[in-house]
mmCIF file with all atom_site columns, all heavy atoms in Angstrom:
data_model
loop_
_atom_site.group_PDB
_atom_site.id
_atom_site.type_symbol
_atom_site.label_atom_id
_atom_site.label_alt_id
_atom_site.label_comp_id
_atom_site.label_asym_id
_atom_site.label_entity_id
_atom_site.label_seq_id
_atom_site.pdbx_PDB_ins_code
_atom_site.Cartn_x
_atom_site.Cartn_y
_atom_site.Cartn_z
_atom_site.occupancy
_atom_site.B_iso_or_equiv
_atom_site.pdbx_formal_charge
_atom_site.auth_seq_id
_atom_site.auth_comp_id
_atom_site.auth_asym_id
_atom_site.auth_atom_id
_atom_site.pdbx_PDB_model_num
ATOM 1  N N   . MET M 1 272 ? -101.111 -192.620 101.234 1.00 97.00 ? 272 MET M N   1
ATOM 2  C CA  . MET M 1 272 ? -100.188 -193.532 101.914 1.00 97.00 ? 272 MET M CA  1
ATOM 3  C C   . MET M 1 272 ? -98.911  -193.706 101.103 1.00 97.00 ? 272 MET M C   1
ATOM 4  O O   . MET M 1 272 ? -97.801  -193.646 101.638 1.00 97.00 ? 272 MET M O   1
ATOM 5  C CB  . MET M 1 272 ? -100.861 -194.896 102.119 1.00 97.00 ? 272 MET M CB  1
ATOM 6  C CG  . MET M 1 272 ? -101.911 -194.925 103.210 1.00 97.00 ? 272 MET M CG  1
ATOM 7  S SD  . MET M 1 272 ? -102.678 -196.569 103.379 1.00 97.00 ? 272 MET M SD  1
ATOM 8  C CE  . MET M 1 272 ? -101.280 -197.556 103.895 1.00 97.00 ? 272 MET M CE  1
ATOM 9  N N   . LEU M 1 273 ? -99.065  -193.911 99.793  1.00 97.00 ? 273 LEU M N   1
ATOM 10 C CA  . LEU M 1 273 ? -97.899  -194.082 98.927  1.00 97.00 ? 273 LEU M CA  1
ATOM 11 C C   . LEU M 1 273 ? -97.046  -192.827 98.917  1.00 97.00 ? 273 LEU M C   1
ATOM 12 O O   . LEU M 1 273 ? -95.807  -192.901 98.970  1.00 97.00 ? 273 LEU M O   1
ATOM 13 C CB  . LEU M 1 273 ? -98.361  -194.423 97.508  1.00 97.00 ? 273 LEU M CB  1
ATOM 14 C CG  . LEU M 1 273 ? -97.255  -194.579 96.457  1.00 97.00 ? 273 LEU M CG  1
ATOM 15 C CD1 . LEU M 1 273 ? -96.337  -195.744 96.828  1.00 97.00 ? 273 LEU M CD1 1
ATOM 16 C CD2 . LEU M 1 273 ? -97.859  -194.783 95.068  1.00 97.00 ? 273 LEU M CD2 1
ATOM 17 N N   . LEU M 1 274 ? -97.700  -191.658 98.883  1.00 97.00 ? 274 LEU M N   1
ATOM 18 C CA  . LEU M 1 274 ? -96.971  -190.395 98.838  1.00 97.00 ? 274 LEU M CA  1
ATOM 19 C C   . LEU M 1 274 ? -96.140  -190.179 100.099 1.00 97.00 ? 274 LEU M C   1
ATOM 20 O O   . LEU M 1 274 ? -94.951  -189.829 100.026 1.00 97.00 ? 274 LEU M O   1
ATOM 21 C CB  . LEU M 1 274 ? -97.957  -189.239 98.643  1.00 97.00 ? 274 LEU M CB  1
ATOM 22 C CG  . LEU M 1 274 ? -97.364  -187.829 98.570  1.00 97.00 ? 274 LEU M CG  1
ATOM 23 C CD1 . LEU M 1 274 ? -96.425  -187.719 97.379  1.00 97.00 ? 274 LEU M CD1 1
ATOM 24 C CD2 . LEU M 1 274 ? -98.489  -186.795 98.472  1.00 97.00 ? 274 LEU M CD2 1
ATOM 25 N N   . THR M 1 275 ? -96.752  -190.383 101.250 1.00 97.00 ? 275 THR M N   1
ATOM 26 C CA  . THR M 1 275 ? -96.027  -190.141 102.504 1.00 97.00 ? 275 THR M CA  1
ATOM 27 C C   . THR M 1 275 ? -94.944  -191.191 102.744 1.00 97.00 ? 275 THR M C   1
ATOM 28 O O   . THR M 1 275 ? -93.864  -190.870 103.248 1.00 97.00 ? 275 THR M O   1
ATOM 29 C CB  . THR M 1 275 ? -97.001  -190.124 103.692 1.00 97.00 ? 275 THR M CB  1
ATOM 30 O OG1 . THR M 1 275 ? -97.745  -191.365 103.734 1.00 97.00 ? 275 THR M OG1 1
ATOM 31 C CG2 . THR M 1 275 ? -97.985  -188.971 103.586 1.00 97.00 ? 275 THR M CG2 1
ATOM 32 N N   . ARG M 1 276 ? -95.207  -192.435 102.365 1.00 97.00 ? 276 ARG M N   1
ATOM 33 C CA  . ARG M 1 276 ? -94.234  -193.505 102.604 1.00 97.00 ? 276 ARG M CA  1
ATOM 34 C C   . ARG M 1 276 ? -93.062  -193.455 101.635 1.00 97.00 ? 276 ARG M C   1
ATOM 35 O O   . ARG M 1 276 ? -92.042  -194.100 101.879 1.00 97.00 ? 276 ARG M O   1
ATOM 36 C CB  . ARG M 1 276 ? -94.929  -194.868 102.528 1.00 97.00 ? 276 ARG M CB  1
ATOM 37 C CG  . ARG M 1 276 ? -95.833  -195.150 103.730 1.00 97.00 ? 276 ARG M CG  1
ATOM 38 C CD  . ARG M 1 276 ? -96.670  -196.401 103.543 1.00 97.00 ? 276 ARG M CD  1
ATOM 39 N NE  . ARG M 1 276 ? -97.486  -196.653 104.722 1.00 97.00 ? 276 ARG M NE  1
ATOM 40 C CZ  . ARG M 1 276 ? -97.322  -197.687 105.556 1.00 97.00 ? 276 ARG M CZ  1
ATOM 41 N NH1 . ARG M 1 276 ? -96.349  -198.565 105.340 1.00 97.00 ? 276 ARG M NH1 1
ATOM 42 N NH2 . ARG M 1 276 ? -98.111  -197.838 106.605 1.00 97.00 ? 276 ARG M NH2 1
ATOM 43 N N   . SER M 1 277 ? -93.189  -192.711 100.542 1.00 97.00 ? 277 SER M N   1
ATOM 44 C CA  . SER M 1 277 ? -92.089  -192.599 99.589  1.00 97.00 ? 277 SER M CA  1
ATOM 45 C C   . SER M 1 277 ? -91.435  -191.222 99.626  1.00 97.00 ? 277 SER M C   1
ATOM 46 O O   . SER M 1 277 ? -90.585  -190.915 98.790  1.00 97.00 ? 277 SER M O   1
ATOM 47 C CB  . SER M 1 277 ? -92.593  -192.875 98.160  1.00 97.00 ? 277 SER M CB  1
ATOM 48 O OG  . SER M 1 277 ? -93.569  -191.923 97.765  1.00 97.00 ? 277 SER M OG  1
ATOM 49 N N   . LEU M 1 278 ? -91.788  -190.403 100.605 1.00 97.00 ? 278 LEU M N   1
ATOM 50 C CA  . LEU M 1 278 ? -91.301  -189.028 100.658 1.00 97.00 ? 278 LEU M CA  1
ATOM 51 C C   . LEU M 1 278 ? -89.777  -188.956 100.700 1.00 97.00 ? 278 LEU M C   1
ATOM 52 O O   . LEU M 1 278 ? -89.154  -188.148 99.998  1.00 97.00 ? 278 LEU M O   1
ATOM 53 C CB  . LEU M 1 278 ? -91.881  -188.313 101.884 1.00 97.00 ? 278 LEU M CB  1
ATOM 54 C CG  . LEU M 1 278 ? -91.535  -186.829 102.006 1.00 97.00 ? 278 LEU M CG  1
ATOM 55 C CD1 . LEU M 1 278 ? -92.242  -186.023 100.923 1.00 97.00 ? 278 LEU M CD1 1
ATOM 56 C CD2 . LEU M 1 278 ? -91.910  -186.296 103.383 1.00 97.00 ? 278 LEU M CD2 1
ATOM 57 N N   . LEU M 1 279 ? -89.150  -189.806 101.500 1.00 97.00 ? 279 LEU M N   1
ATOM 58 C CA  . LEU M 1 279 ? -87.693  -189.813 101.621 1.00 97.00 ? 279 LEU M CA  1
ATOM 59 C C   . LEU M 1 279 ? -87.094  -191.099 101.063 1.00 97.00 ? 279 LEU M C   1
ATOM 60 O O   . LEU M 1 279 ? -85.990  -191.499 101.448 1.00 97.00 ? 279 LEU M O   1
ATOM 61 C CB  . LEU M 1 279 ? -87.285  -189.643 103.089 1.00 97.00 ? 279 LEU M CB  1
ATOM 62 C CG  . LEU M 1 279 ? -87.675  -188.316 103.742 1.00 97.00 ? 279 LEU M CG  1
ATOM 63 C CD1 . LEU M 1 279 ? -87.227  -188.291 105.198 1.00 97.00 ? 279 LEU M CD1 1
ATOM 64 C CD2 . LEU M 1 279 ? -87.069  -187.140 102.986 1.00 97.00 ? 279 LEU M CD2 1
ATOM 65 N N   . ALA M 1 280 ? -87.806  -191.720 100.134 1.00 97.00 ? 280 ALA M N   1
ATOM 66 C CA  . ALA M 1 280 ? -87.317  -192.974 99.557  1.00 97.00 ? 280 ALA M CA  1
ATOM 67 C C   . ALA M 1 280 ? -86.057  -192.766 98.721  1.00 97.00 ? 280 ALA M C   1
ATOM 68 O O   . ALA M 1 280 ? -85.200  -193.643 98.658  1.00 97.00 ? 280 ALA M O   1
ATOM 69 C CB  . ALA M 1 280 ? -88.409  -193.626 98.701  1.00 97.00 ? 280 ALA M CB  1
ATOM 70 N N   . HIS M 1 281 ? -85.943  -191.609 98.088  1.00 97.00 ? 281 HIS M N   1
ATOM 71 C CA  . HIS M 1 281 ? -84.752  -191.353 97.262  1.00 97.00 ? 281 HIS M CA  1
ATOM 72 C C   . HIS M 1 281 ? -83.474  -191.317 98.115  1.00 97.00 ? 281 HIS M C   1
ATOM 73 O O   . HIS M 1 281 ? -82.522  -192.055 97.827  1.00 97.00 ? 281 HIS M O   1
ATOM 74 C CB  . HIS M 1 281 ? -84.923  -190.056 96.471  1.00 97.00 ? 281 HIS M CB  1
ATOM 75 C CG  . HIS M 1 281 ? -85.907  -190.165 95.353  1.00 97.00 ? 281 HIS M CG  1
ATOM 76 N ND1 . HIS M 1 281 ? -87.269  -190.045 95.545  1.00 97.00 ? 281 HIS M ND1 1
ATOM 77 C CD2 . HIS M 1 281 ? -85.739  -190.398 94.027  1.00 97.00 ? 281 HIS M CD2 1
ATOM 78 C CE1 . HIS M 1 281 ? -87.892  -190.193 94.394  1.00 97.00 ? 281 HIS M CE1 1
ATOM 79 N NE2 . HIS M 1 281 ? -86.986  -190.411 93.458  1.00 97.00 ? 281 HIS M NE2 1
ATOM 80 N N   . PRO M 1 282 ? -83.415  -190.478 99.146  1.00 98.00 ? 282 PRO M N   1
ATOM 81 C CA  . PRO M 1 282 ? -82.209  -190.522 99.974  1.00 98.00 ? 282 PRO M CA  1
ATOM 82 C C   . PRO M 1 282 ? -82.018  -191.865 100.673 1.00 98.00 ? 282 PRO M C   1
ATOM 83 O O   . PRO M 1 282 ? -80.879  -192.273 100.939 1.00 98.00 ? 282 PRO M O   1
ATOM 84 C CB  . PRO M 1 282 ? -82.401  -189.384 100.977 1.00 98.00 ? 282 PRO M CB  1
ATOM 85 C CG  . PRO M 1 282 ? -83.852  -189.079 100.962 1.00 98.00 ? 282 PRO M CG  1
ATOM 86 C CD  . PRO M 1 282 ? -84.312  -189.392 99.572  1.00 98.00 ? 282 PRO M CD  1
ATOM 87 N N   . TYR M 1 283 ? -83.110  -192.569 100.957 1.00 97.00 ? 283 TYR M N   1
ATOM 88 C CA  . TYR M 1 283 ? -82.990  -193.885 101.587 1.00 97.00 ? 283 TYR M CA  1
ATOM 89 C C   . TYR M 1 283 ? -82.215  -194.848 100.680 1.00 97.00 ? 283 TYR M C   1
ATOM 90 O O   . TYR M 1 283 ? -81.270  -195.524 101.126 1.00 97.00 ? 283 TYR M O   1
ATOM 91 C CB  . TYR M 1 283 ? -84.377  -194.449 101.894 1.00 97.00 ? 283 TYR M CB  1
ATOM 92 C CG  . TYR M 1 283 ? -84.377  -195.868 102.397 1.00 97.00 ? 283 TYR M CG  1
ATOM 93 C CD1 . TYR M 1 283 ? -83.923  -196.171 103.678 1.00 97.00 ? 283 TYR M CD1 1
ATOM 94 C CD2 . TYR M 1 283 ? -84.820  -196.911 101.593 1.00 97.00 ? 283 TYR M CD2 1
ATOM 95 C CE1 . TYR M 1 283 ? -83.914  -197.481 104.141 1.00 97.00 ? 283 TYR M CE1 1
ATOM 96 C CE2 . TYR M 1 283 ? -84.816  -198.216 102.046 1.00 97.00 ? 283 TYR M CE2 1
ATOM 97 C CZ  . TYR M 1 283 ? -84.363  -198.496 103.321 1.00 97.00 ? 283 TYR M CZ  1
ATOM 98 O OH  . TYR M 1 283 ? -84.348  -199.792 103.765 1.00 97.00 ? 283 TYR M OH  1
#
Side-chain angles (χ1 to χ4, degrees):
M272 286 179 64
L273 178 63
L274 180 62
T275 56
R276 288 171 178 248
S277 62
L278 184 69
L279 296 179
H281 288 82
Y283 173 72

